[in-house]
Coordinates of all heavy atoms in Angstrom, one line a residue:
M58 N 29.7 7.6 13.3 CA 29.4 6.9 12.1 C 30.7 7.0 11.2 O 31.2 8.1 10.9 CB 28.3 7.5 11.3 CG 27.4 6.5 10.6 SD 26.1 7.3 9.6 CE 24.9 7.7 10.9
D59 N 31.3 5.8 10.8 CA 32.4 5.9 9.9 C 32.0 6.2 8.5 O 30.8 6.1 8.2 CB 33.4 4.7 10.1 CG 32.7 3.5 9.6 OD1 32.0 3.5 8.6 OD2 32.9 2.4 10.3
R60 N 33.0 6.4 7.6 CA 32.6 6.8 6.3 C 31.8 5.8 5.5 O 30.8 6.1 4.8 CB 33.9 7.2 5.6 CG 33.6 7.9 4.2 CD 34.9 8.4 3.6 NE 34.5 8.8 2.2 CZ 33.8 9.9 1.9 NH1 33.4 10.7 2.8 NH2 33.5 10.1 0.6
N61 N 32.2 4.5 5.6 CA 31.5 3.5 4.9 C 30.0 3.4 5.3 O 29.1 3.3 4.5 CB 32.1 2.1 5.2 CG 33.1 1.8 4.0 OD1 33.1 2.4 3.0 ND2 34.0 0.8 4.3
R62 N 29.9 3.4 6.6 CA 28.5 3.3 7.1 C 27.7 4.5 6.7 O 26.5 4.4 6.3 CB 28.5 3.3 8.6 CG 28.7 1.8 9.1 CD 28.5 1.8 10.6 NE 27.2 2.0 11.0 CZ 26.8 2.1 12.3 NH1 27.7 2.0 13.3 NH2 25.5 2.4 12.6
F63 N 28.3 5.7 6.6 CA 27.6 6.9 6.2 C 27.2 6.8 4.8 O 26.1 7.1 4.4 CB 28.6 8.1 6.4 CG 27.9 9.4 6.0 CD1 26.9 9.9 6.8 CD2 28.4 10.1 4.9 CE1 26.3 11.1 6.4 CE2 27.8 11.3 4.6 CZ 26.7 11.8 5.3
E64 N 28.1 6.2 3.9 CA 27.8 6.1 2.5 C 26.7 5.0 2.3 O 25.8 5.2 1.5 CB 29.0 5.6 1.7 CG 29.9 6.8 1.4 CD 31.2 6.5 0.7 OE1 31.4 5.3 0.4 OE2 32.0 7.4 0.5
N65 N 26.7 4.0 3.1 CA 25.6 3.0 3.0 C 24.3 3.6 3.4 O 23.3 3.4 2.8 CB 25.9 1.8 3.9 CG 26.8 0.8 3.3 OD1 26.9 0.8 2.0 ND2 27.5 0.0 4.1
W66 N 24.4 4.4 4.4 CA 23.2 5.1 4.9 C 22.6 6.0 3.8 O 21.4 6.0 3.6 CB 23.6 5.9 6.2 CG 22.5 6.7 6.8 CD1 21.5 6.2 7.5 CD2 22.4 8.1 6.8 NE1 20.7 7.2 8.0 CE2 21.2 8.4 7.6 CE3 23.1 9.1 6.3 CZ2 20.8 9.7 7.8 CZ3 22.7 10.4 6.5 CH2 21.6 10.7 7.2
L67 N 23.5 6.8 3.2 CA 23.0 7.6 2.1 C 22.4 6.8 1.0 O 21.4 7.1 0.4 CB 24.2 8.4 1.6 CG 24.5 9.8 2.2 CD1 25.7 10.4 1.5 CD2 23.3 10.7 2.3
K68 N 23.1 5.7 0.6 CA 22.7 4.9 -0.4 C 21.3 4.3 -0.1 O 20.4 4.3 -1.0 CB 23.7 3.7 -0.6 CG 23.8 3.2 -2.0 CD 24.9 2.2 -2.1 CE 24.6 1.0 -3.0 NZ 24.7 -0.3 -2.3
N69 N 21.1 3.9 1.1 CA 19.8 3.4 1.5 C 18.7 4.5 1.3 O 17.6 4.1 0.8 CB 19.8 3.0 3.0 CG 20.3 1.6 3.1 OD1 20.4 0.9 2.2 ND2 20.8 1.3 4.3
I70 N 19.0 5.7 1.6 CA 18.0 6.7 1.5 C 17.6 6.9 0.0 O 16.5 6.9 -0.4 CB 18.5 8.1 2.0 CG1 18.6 7.9 3.6 CG2 17.6 9.2 1.6 CD1 19.2 9.2 4.2
Y71 N 18.7 6.9 -0.9 CA 18.4 7.1 -2.3 C 17.7 5.9 -2.9 O 16.8 6.1 -3.7 CB 19.7 7.5 -3.0 CG 20.1 8.9 -2.7 CD1 21.3 9.2 -2.0 CD2 19.3 10.0 -3.2 CE1 21.6 10.5 -1.7 CE2 19.7 11.3 -2.9 CZ 20.8 11.5 -2.1 OH 21.2 12.8 -1.8
E72 N 18.1 4.8 -2.5 CA 17.4 3.6 -3.0 C 16.0 3.5 -2.6 O 15.1 3.1 -3.3 CB 18.2 2.3 -2.5 CG 19.4 2.1 -3.4 CD 20.2 0.9 -2.9 OE1 19.9 0.3 -1.9 OE2 21.2 0.6 -3.6
T73 N 15.7 3.9 -1.4 CA 14.3 4.0 -0.9 C 13.5 4.9 -1.8 O 12.4 4.6 -2.2 CB 14.3 4.5 0.5 OG1 15.1 3.6 1.3 CG2 12.9 4.4 1.1
Q74 N 14.1 6.1 -2.1 CA 13.4 7.0 -3.0 C 13.1 6.4 -4.4 O 12.1 6.6 -4.9 CB 14.1 8.3 -3.0 CG 13.9 9.1 -1.7 CD 14.7 10.4 -1.8 OE1 15.5 10.7 -2.6 NE2 14.3 11.3 -0.9
D75 N 14.2 5.7 -4.9 CA 14.0 5.1 -6.2 C 12.9 4.1 -6.2 O 12.3 3.8 -7.2 CB 15.3 4.3 -6.6 CG 16.3 5.3 -7.1 OD1 16.0 6.5 -7.3 OD2 17.5 4.9 -7.2
E76 N 12.6 3.5 -5.0 CA 11.6 2.5 -5.0 C 10.2 3.0 -4.8 O 9.2 2.3 -4.8 CB 11.9 1.5 -3.8 CG 13.0 0.5 -4.2 CD 13.4 -0.3 -3.0 OE1 12.6 -0.3 -2.0 OE2 14.4 -1.0 -3.0
E77 N 10.1 4.3 -4.7 CA 8.7 4.8 -4.6 C 7.9 4.5 -5.8 O 8.4 4.5 -6.9 CB 8.8 6.4 -4.4 CG 8.9 6.7 -3.0 CD 8.9 8.2 -2.8 OE1 8.3 8.9 -3.6 OE2 9.5 8.7 -1.8
I78 N 6.7 4.1 -5.6 CA 5.9 3.7 -6.7 C 4.9 4.7 -7.2 O 4.5 5.6 -6.4 CB 5.1 2.4 -6.4 CG1 4.2 2.6 -5.2 CG2 6.1 1.2 -6.1 CD1 3.3 1.4 -4.9
S79 N 4.5 4.6 -8.4 CA 3.5 5.5 -9.0 C 2.1 5.1 -8.7 O 1.9 4.0 -8.2 CB 3.7 5.6 -10.5 OG 3.3 4.3 -11.0
C80 N 1.2 5.9 -9.0 CA -0.2 5.6 -8.7 C -0.6 4.4 -9.6 O -1.4 3.6 -9.1 CB -1.1 6.8 -9.1 SG -1.0 8.1 -7.8
T81 N -0.1 4.3 -10.8 CA -0.4 3.1 -11.6 C 0.1 1.8 -11.0 O -0.7 0.9 -11.0 CB 0.3 3.3 -13.0 OG1 0.0 4.6 -13.5 CG2 -0.3 2.3 -14.0
E82 N 1.3 1.9 -10.5 CA 1.8 0.7 -9.8 C 1.0 0.3 -8.6 O 0.7 -0.8 -8.3 CB 3.3 0.8 -9.5 CG 4.2 0.8 -10.7 CD 5.6 1.2 -10.3 OE1 5.8 2.4 -9.9 OE2 6.5 0.4 -10.4
C83 N 0.7 1.4 -7.9 CA -0.1 1.3 -6.7 C -1.5 0.6 -7.0 O -1.9 -0.4 -6.3 CB -0.4 2.6 -6.1 SG -1.3 2.5 -4.5
F84 N -2.1 1.0 -8.1 CA -3.3 0.5 -8.5 C -3.2 -1.0 -8.8 O -4.1 -1.8 -8.5 CB -3.8 1.2 -9.7 CG -5.2 0.8 -10.2 CD1 -6.3 1.4 -9.5 CD2 -5.4 -0.1 -11.2 CE1 -7.6 1.0 -9.9 CE2 -6.7 -0.4 -11.6 CZ -7.8 0.1 -10.9
D85 N -2.1 -1.4 -9.4 CA -1.9 -2.8 -9.7 C -1.7 -3.7 -8.5 O -2.0 -4.8 -8.4 CB -0.6 -3.0 -10.6 CG -0.9 -2.5 -12.0 OD1 -2.0 -2.4 -12.4 OD2 0.1 -2.2 -12.7
L86 N -1.0 -3.1 -7.5 CA -0.7 -3.8 -6.3 C -1.7 -3.8 -5.2 O -1.7 -4.7 -4.3 CB 0.6 -3.3 -5.7 CG 1.9 -3.5 -6.5 CD1 3.1 -2.7 -5.9 CD2 2.2 -5.0 -6.4
V87 N -2.6 -2.9 -5.2 CA -3.5 -2.6 -4.1 C -4.4 -3.8 -3.8 O -4.6 -4.2 -2.6 CB -4.2 -1.3 -4.2 CG1 -5.4 -1.4 -5.1 CG2 -4.7 -0.8 -2.8
S88 N -4.8 -4.5 -4.9 CA -5.7 -5.7 -4.6 C -4.9 -6.8 -4.0 O -5.5 -7.6 -3.2 CB -6.4 -6.1 -5.9 OG -5.4 -6.5 -6.9
R89 N -3.6 -6.9 -4.3 CA -2.8 -7.9 -3.7 C -2.6 -7.6 -2.2 O -2.6 -8.5 -1.3 CB -1.4 -8.0 -4.4 CG -1.0 -9.4 -4.6 CD 0.3 -9.5 -5.2 NE 1.3 -10.1 -4.3 CZ 2.6 -9.8 -4.4 NH1 3.0 -8.9 -5.3 NH2 3.4 -10.3 -3.6
F90 N -2.4 -6.3 -1.9 CA -2.3 -5.9 -0.6 C -3.5 -6.2 0.3 O -3.4 -6.8 1.4 CB -2.0 -4.3 -0.6 CG -1.7 -3.7 0.7 CD1 -0.3 -3.7 1.1 CD2 -2.6 -3.2 1.6 CE1 0.0 -3.1 2.3 CE2 -2.3 -2.6 2.8 CZ -0.9 -2.6 3.2
V91 N -4.7 -5.9 -0.3 CA -5.9 -6.2 0.4 C -6.0 -7.7 0.6 O -6.4 -8.2 1.7 CB -7.1 -5.7 -0.4 CG1 -8.4 -6.2 0.2 CG2 -7.1 -4.2 -0.3
E92 N -5.7 -8.5 -0.4 CA -5.8 -9.9 -0.3 C -4.9 -10.5 0.8 O -5.3 -11.4 1.6 CB -5.3 -10.5 -1.7 CG -6.0 -11.8 -2.0 CD -7.5 -11.7 -2.0 OE1 -8.0 -10.7 -2.5 OE2 -8.1 -12.7 -1.5
L93 N -3.7 -10.0 0.9 CA -2.8 -10.4 2.0 C -3.4 -10.1 3.4 O -3.3 -10.9 4.3 CB -1.4 -9.7 1.9 CG -0.5 -10.2 0.7 CD1 0.7 -9.2 0.5 CD2 0.0 -11.6 1.0
E94 N -4.0 -8.9 3.5 CA -4.6 -8.5 4.7 C -5.8 -9.5 5.1 O -5.9 -9.9 6.2 CB -5.2 -7.1 4.6 CG -4.1 -6.0 4.8 CD -4.7 -4.7 5.0 OE1 -5.8 -4.4 4.5 OE2 -4.0 -3.8 5.7
I95 N -6.6 -9.8 4.1 CA -7.7 -10.7 4.3 C -7.2 -12.0 4.8 O -7.8 -12.7 5.6 CB -8.5 -10.8 3.0 CG1 -9.2 -9.5 2.6 CG2 -9.6 -11.9 3.1 CD1 -10.4 -9.1 3.5
L96 N -6.1 -12.5 4.2 CA -5.5 -13.8 4.6 C -4.8 -13.7 5.9 O -4.2 -14.7 6.4 CB -4.5 -14.2 3.5 CG -5.1 -14.6 2.1 CD1 -4.0 -14.8 1.1 CD2 -6.0 -15.8 2.2
G97 N -4.7 -12.5 6.5 CA -4.1 -12.4 7.8 C -2.6 -12.3 7.8 O -1.9 -12.5 8.8
Q98 N -2.1 -12.0 6.6 CA -0.6 -11.9 6.4 C -0.2 -10.4 6.7 O -1.0 -9.5 6.6 CB -0.2 -12.3 5.0 CG -0.7 -13.7 4.8 CD 0.2 -14.5 3.9 OE1 1.4 -14.1 3.6 NE2 -0.2 -15.6 3.3
D99 N 1.1 -10.3 6.8 CA 1.6 -8.9 7.1 C 1.8 -8.2 5.8 O 2.9 -8.2 5.2 CB 3.0 -9.1 7.9 CG 3.3 -7.7 8.5 OD1 2.7 -6.7 8.1 OD2 4.2 -7.7 9.3
A100 N 0.8 -7.6 5.3 CA 0.8 -6.9 4.0 C 1.8 -5.8 4.0 O 2.4 -5.6 3.0 CB -0.6 -6.4 3.6
E101 N 1.9 -5.1 5.1 CA 2.8 -3.9 5.1 C 4.2 -4.3 5.0 O 5.0 -3.7 4.3 CB 2.6 -3.1 6.4 CG 1.3 -2.4 6.5 CD 1.2 -1.6 7.8 OE1 2.2 -1.2 8.3 OE2 0.1 -1.5 8.3
A102 N 4.6 -5.5 5.6 CA 5.9 -6.0 5.5 C 6.3 -6.5 4.1 O 7.4 -6.4 3.6 CB 6.2 -7.1 6.5
K103 N 5.2 -7.1 3.4 CA 5.5 -7.6 2.1 C 5.5 -6.5 1.0 O 6.1 -6.7 0.0 CB 4.4 -8.7 1.8 CG 4.5 -9.8 2.7 CD 3.9 -11.1 2.2 CE 4.2 -12.2 3.2 NZ 3.8 -13.5 2.8
L104 N 4.7 -5.5 1.2 CA 4.6 -4.5 0.2 C 4.8 -3.1 0.8 O 3.9 -2.2 0.8 CB 3.2 -4.5 -0.5 CG 2.9 -5.8 -1.3 CD1 1.4 -5.9 -1.7 CD2 3.7 -5.8 -2.6
P105 N 6.0 -2.9 1.4 CA 6.2 -1.6 2.1 C 6.1 -0.4 1.2 O 5.6 0.7 1.7 CB 7.7 -1.8 2.6 CG 8.3 -2.8 1.8 CD 7.2 -3.7 1.4
Q106 N 6.5 -0.5 -0.1 CA 6.4 0.7 -0.9 C 4.9 1.1 -1.1 O 4.6 2.3 -1.2 CB 7.0 0.4 -2.3 CG 8.4 -0.1 -2.3 CD 8.3 -1.6 -2.6 OE1 7.6 -2.3 -1.9 NE2 9.1 -2.1 -3.5
L107 N 4.1 0.1 -1.2 CA 2.7 0.3 -1.4 C 2.1 1.1 -0.2 O 1.4 2.1 -0.3 CB 1.9 -1.0 -1.6 CG 0.4 -0.8 -1.9 CD1 0.1 -0.1 -3.2 CD2 -0.3 -2.1 -1.8
K108 N 2.5 0.6 1.0 CA 2.0 1.2 2.2 C 2.5 2.6 2.3 O 1.7 3.5 2.6 CB 2.6 0.4 3.4 CG 2.2 0.9 4.8 CD 0.7 0.8 5.0 CE 0.3 1.5 6.3 NZ -1.2 1.5 6.4
Q109 N 3.7 2.9 1.9 CA 4.3 4.2 1.9 C 3.5 5.1 1.0 O 3.1 6.2 1.3 CB 5.8 4.1 1.5 CG 6.5 5.4 1.6 CD 7.9 5.4 0.9 OE1 8.2 4.5 0.1 NE2 8.7 6.4 1.2
H110 N 3.2 4.6 -0.2 CA 2.4 5.4 -1.2 C 1.0 5.7 -0.6 O 0.5 6.8 -0.8 CB 2.3 4.6 -2.5 CG 1.7 5.4 -3.6 ND1 2.4 6.3 -4.4 CD2 0.4 5.5 -4.0 CE1 1.5 6.9 -5.2 NE2 0.3 6.4 -5.0
L111 N 0.4 4.7 0.0 CA -0.9 4.9 0.5 C -0.9 6.0 1.6 O -1.9 6.8 1.7 CB -1.5 3.6 1.2 CG -1.9 2.5 0.2 CD1 -2.4 1.3 1.0 CD2 -2.9 3.0 -0.8
N112 N 0.2 6.1 2.3 CA 0.3 7.1 3.4 C 0.4 8.5 2.7 O 0.0 9.5 3.4 CB 1.5 6.9 4.3 CG 1.2 5.8 5.2 OD1 0.1 5.5 5.6 ND2 2.3 5.1 5.7
Q113 N 0.9 8.6 1.5 CA 1.2 9.9 0.9 C 0.1 10.3 -0.1 O 0.0 11.5 -0.5 CB 2.5 9.8 0.1 CG 3.7 9.7 1.1 CD 5.0 9.3 0.3 OE1 4.9 9.0 -0.9 NE2 6.1 9.3 1.0
C114 N -0.6 9.3 -0.6 CA -1.5 9.6 -1.7 C -3.0 9.4 -1.4 O -3.4 8.2 -1.2 CB -1.1 8.8 -2.9 SG -2.1 9.1 -4.4
R115 N -3.7 10.4 -1.3 CA -5.1 10.4 -0.9 C -6.0 9.6 -1.8 O -6.8 8.7 -1.4 CB -5.7 11.8 -0.8 CG -7.1 12.0 -0.3 CD -7.2 11.6 1.2 NE -8.5 10.9 1.4 CZ -9.6 11.5 1.9 NH1 -9.5 12.8 2.1 NH2 -10.7 10.9 2.0
A116 N -5.7 9.8 -3.1 CA -6.6 9.1 -4.1 C -6.4 7.5 -4.0 O -7.4 6.8 -4.0 CB -6.2 9.5 -5.5
C117 N -5.2 7.1 -3.8 CA -4.9 5.7 -3.7 C -5.4 5.1 -2.4 O -5.8 4.0 -2.3 CB -3.4 5.4 -3.9 SG -2.9 5.6 -5.7
R118 N -5.3 5.9 -1.4 CA -5.8 5.5 -0.1 C -7.3 5.2 -0.2 O -7.9 4.3 0.4 CB -5.5 6.5 1.0 CG -5.5 5.8 2.4 CD -4.8 6.6 3.4 NE -5.4 8.0 3.6 CZ -4.7 9.1 3.5 NH1 -3.5 9.1 3.2 NH2 -5.3 10.3 3.6
D119 N -8.0 6.1 -0.8 CA -9.5 6.0 -1.0 C -9.8 4.7 -1.8 O -10.6 3.9 -1.4 CB -10.1 7.1 -1.8 CG -10.2 8.4 -0.9 OD1 -10.0 8.3 0.3 OD2 -10.4 9.5 -1.5
E120 N -9.0 4.5 -2.8 CA -9.1 3.3 -3.6 C -8.9 2.0 -2.8 O -9.7 1.1 -2.8 CB -8.0 3.4 -4.7 CG -7.9 2.1 -5.6 CD -8.9 2.0 -6.6 OE1 -9.3 3.0 -7.1 OE2 -9.3 0.9 -7.0
Y121 N -7.9 2.1 -2.0 CA -7.6 0.9 -1.1 C -8.7 0.7 -0.1 O -9.1 -0.5 0.1 CB -6.3 1.2 -0.4 CG -6.1 0.5 0.9 CD1 -5.9 -0.9 1.0 CD2 -6.2 1.2 2.2 CE1 -5.7 -1.5 2.2 CE2 -6.1 0.5 3.3 CZ -5.8 -0.8 3.4 OH -5.7 -1.5 4.5
E122 N -9.2 1.7 0.5 CA -10.3 1.6 1.5 C -11.5 1.0 0.9 O -12.2 0.1 1.5 CB -10.6 2.9 2.2 CG -9.5 3.2 3.2 CD -9.6 4.6 3.8 OE1 -10.5 5.4 3.4 OE2 -8.7 5.0 4.6
V123 N -11.9 1.4 -0.3 CA -13.1 0.8 -1.0 C -12.9 -0.6 -1.2 O -13.7 -1.5 -0.9 CB -13.4 1.6 -2.3 CG1 -14.4 0.9 -3.1 CG2 -13.8 3.0 -2.0
L124 N -11.7 -1.0 -1.8 CA -11.4 -2.4 -2.1 C -11.4 -3.2 -0.9 O -12.0 -4.3 -0.8 CB -10.0 -2.5 -2.7 CG -9.9 -2.8 -4.2 CD1 -8.5 -2.7 -4.7 CD2 -10.5 -4.2 -4.5
R125 N -10.8 -2.7 0.2 CA -10.7 -3.5 1.4 C -12.1 -3.7 2.0 O -12.4 -4.8 2.5 CB -9.9 -2.7 2.4 CG -9.6 -3.4 3.7 CD -9.2 -2.4 4.8 NE -10.2 -1.3 4.9 CZ -9.9 -0.2 5.6 NH1 -8.8 0.0 6.1 NH2 -10.9 0.7 5.6
D126 N -12.9 -2.7 2.0 CA -14.3 -2.8 2.5 C -15.1 -3.8 1.7 O -15.8 -4.6 2.3 CB -15.0 -1.5 2.6 CG -14.4 -0.5 3.6 OD1 -13.6 -1.0 4.4 OD2 -14.7 0.7 3.6
L127 N -14.9 -3.8 0.4 CA -15.6 -4.7 -0.4 C -15.2 -6.2 -0.1 O -16.0 -7.1 0.0 CB -15.4 -4.5 -1.9 CG -16.1 -3.2 -2.5 CD1 -15.7 -3.0 -3.9 CD2 -17.6 -3.4 -2.4
R128 N -13.9 -6.4 0.0 CA -13.4 -7.7 0.3 C -13.9 -8.2 1.7 O -14.2 -9.4 1.8 CB -11.8 -7.7 0.3 CG -11.3 -7.8 -1.1 CD -11.7 -9.1 -1.8 NE -10.9 -10.3 -1.4 CZ -11.4 -11.4 -1.0 NH1 -12.7 -11.6 -0.9 NH2 -10.7 -12.5 -0.7
R129 N -13.9 -7.3 2.6 CA -14.4 -7.7 4.0 C -15.9 -8.1 3.9 O -16.3 -9.1 4.5 CB -14.3 -6.5 4.9 CG -12.8 -6.4 5.4 CD -12.7 -5.4 6.5 NE -11.3 -5.3 6.9 CZ -10.8 -4.3 7.5 NH1 -11.5 -3.3 7.9 NH2 -9.5 -4.3 7.9
L130 N -16.7 -7.4 3.1 CA -18.1 -7.7 2.9 C -18.2 -9.1 2.3 O -19.0 -9.9 2.7 CB -18.8 -6.7 2.1 CG -19.2 -5.4 2.8 CD1 -19.6 -4.4 1.7 CD2 -20.3 -5.6 3.8
E131 N -17.4 -9.3 1.3 CA -17.4 -10.6 0.6 C -17.0 -11.7 1.6 O -17.6 -12.8 1.6 CB -16.3 -10.7 -0.5 CG -16.8 -10.3 -1.8 CD -15.7 -10.3 -2.9 OE1 -14.9 -11.2 -2.8 OE2 -15.7 -9.5 -3.7
E132 N -16.0 -11.5 2.5 CA -15.6 -12.5 3.4 C -16.7 -12.8 4.4 O -16.8 -13.9 4.9 CB -14.4 -12.0 4.2 CG -13.1 -12.0 3.4 CD -12.7 -13.4 3.0 OE1 -12.6 -14.3 3.8 OE2 -12.6 -13.7 1.8
K133 N -17.5 -11.8 4.7 CA -18.6 -12.0 5.7 C -19.7 -12.8 5.0 O -20.7 -13.1 5.6 CB -19.2 -10.7 6.1 CG -18.4 -10.1 7.3 CD -19.1 -9.0 8.0 CE -18.7 -7.6 7.5 NZ -19.4 -6.5 8.0
G134 N -19.6 -13.1 3.7 CA -20.6 -13.8 2.9 C -21.5 -12.8 2.3 O -21.6 -11.6 2.8
G135 N -22.0 -13.1 1.2 CA -22.9 -12.2 0.5 C -22.2 -11.0 -0.1 O -21.4 -10.4 0.5
M136 N -22.5 -10.9 -1.4 CA -21.9 -9.7 -2.1 C -22.6 -8.5 -1.6 O -23.7 -8.5 -1.1 CB -22.1 -9.9 -3.6 CG -21.2 -10.9 -4.2 SD -19.5 -10.3 -4.2 CE -19.6 -9.0 -5.4
P137 N -21.9 -7.4 -1.6 CA -22.5 -6.1 -1.2 C -23.7 -5.7 -2.1 O -23.6 -6.0 -3.3 CB -21.4 -5.1 -1.4 CG -20.4 -5.7 -2.3 CD -20.5 -7.2 -2.1
S138 N -24.6 -5.1 -1.6 CA -25.8 -4.6 -2.4 C -25.3 -3.4 -3.2 O -24.3 -2.8 -2.9 CB -26.9 -4.3 -1.5 OG -26.6 -3.1 -0.7
L139 N -26.1 -3.0 -4.1 CA -25.8 -1.8 -4.9 C -25.7 -0.6 -4.0 O -24.8 0.3 -4.1 CB -26.9 -1.6 -6.0 CG -26.6 -0.5 -7.0 CD1 -25.3 -0.8 -7.7 CD2 -27.7 -0.3 -8.0
A140 N -26.5 -0.5 -3.0 CA -26.5 0.6 -2.0 C -25.2 0.6 -1.3 O -24.6 1.7 -1.1 CB -27.7 0.5 -1.1
D141 N -24.7 -0.6 -0.9 CA -23.4 -0.6 -0.2 C -22.3 -0.1 -1.1 O -21.4 0.6 -0.6 CB -23.1 -2.1 0.2 CG -23.9 -2.6 1.4 OD1 -24.3 -1.7 2.2 OD2 -24.1 -3.8 1.6
L142 N -22.4 -0.5 -2.3 CA -21.3 -0.1 -3.3 C -21.3 1.4 -3.4 O -20.3 2.1 -3.4 CB -21.6 -0.7 -4.6 CG -21.2 -2.2 -4.8 CD1 -21.6 -2.7 -6.1 CD2 -19.7 -2.4 -4.6
Q143 N -22.5 1.9 -3.6 CA -22.6 3.4 -3.7 C -22.1 4.1 -2.5 O -21.4 5.1 -2.6 CB -24.1 3.8 -4.1 CG -24.4 3.5 -5.5 CD -25.9 3.6 -5.8 OE1 -26.7 3.5 -5.0 NE2 -26.2 3.7 -7.1
N144 N -22.4 3.6 -1.3 CA -21.9 4.2 -0.1 C -20.4 4.2 -0.1 O -19.8 5.1 0.4 CB -22.5 3.5 1.1 CG -23.9 3.9 1.4 OD1 -24.3 5.0 1.0 ND2 -24.6 3.0 2.0
S145 N -19.8 3.0 -0.5 CA -18.3 2.9 -0.4 C -17.7 3.9 -1.3 O -16.6 4.4 -1.1 CB -17.9 1.5 -0.9 OG -18.7 0.6 -0.4
I146 N -18.3 4.2 -2.5 CA -17.7 5.0 -3.5 C -17.7 6.5 -3.1 O -16.8 7.2 -3.4 CB -18.3 4.7 -4.9 CG1 -17.9 3.3 -5.3 CG2 -17.8 5.8 -5.9 CD1 -18.7 2.8 -6.4
Q147 N -18.8 6.8 -2.4 CA -19.0 8.3 -2.1 C -17.9 8.7 -1.1 O -17.4 8.0 -0.3 CB -20.3 8.5 -1.5 CG -21.4 8.7 -2.6 CD -22.8 8.4 -2.1 OE1 -23.0 8.3 -0.9 NE2 -23.7 8.3 -3.0
Ligands
ZN461 ZN1 -1.4 7.3 -5.7

């Protein structure tokens, strides 16, 4: 690896870390992420920071899974019942 490439490589690592998102940002983006998935788009490619955060943060992953399950239920037709909602949240 020559020096320029090495510096670029380092820069990439630091820039990646700068792009890490907070739970608040994650919360704002997660419904979009789910929406992309429902539309059959590559949500991970479009929102890689969000995916990274979900891998690291248990609370946000739970949030994501609940939202995703609700959206899937909606797609199947019929809103979830109260019992379904309570099951998702637990
Ligand atoms: Zn989080």
Side-chain angles (χ1 to χ4, degrees):
M58 214 184 282
D59 65 40
R60 190 169 167 76
N61 265 344
R62 276 186 67 187
F63 181 68
E64 280 175 2
N65 276 337
W66 177 73
L67 275 182
K68 209 170 141 236
N69 277 340
I70 291 176
Y71 285 111
E72 280 175 0
T73 304
Q74 285 179 343
D75 282 346
E76 281 173 17
E77 273 185 24
I78 59 174
S79 67
C80 288
T81 314
E82 287 170 298
C83 183
F84 187 80
D85 288 339
L86 287 171
V87 76
S88 61
R89 224 180 112 210
F90 189 87
V91 169
E92 210 55 43
L93 287 168
E94 281 193 332
I95 294 286
L96 293 170
Q98 304 212 15
D99 196 345
E101 291 182 28
K103 297 203 176 187
L104 296 166
Q106 309 100 308
L107 181 68
K108 180 66 188 174
Q109 187 190 12
H110 186 85
L111 290 179
N112 284 335
Q113 292 165 352
C114 180
R115 183 67 216 266
C117 289
R118 199 163 62 235
D119 285 348
E120 171 80 32
Y121 156 72
E122 283 170 0
V123 169
L124 253 173
R125 185 198 53 194
D126 290 348
L127 286 178
R128 278 300 279 130
R129 282 188 182 161
L130 281 170
E131 267 180 37
E132 286 299 303
K133 277 194 265 173
M136 284 293 291
S138 67
L139 188 58
D141 284 336
L142 284 175
Q143 280 166 341
N144 283 335
S145 320
I146 290 161
Q147 274 160 12

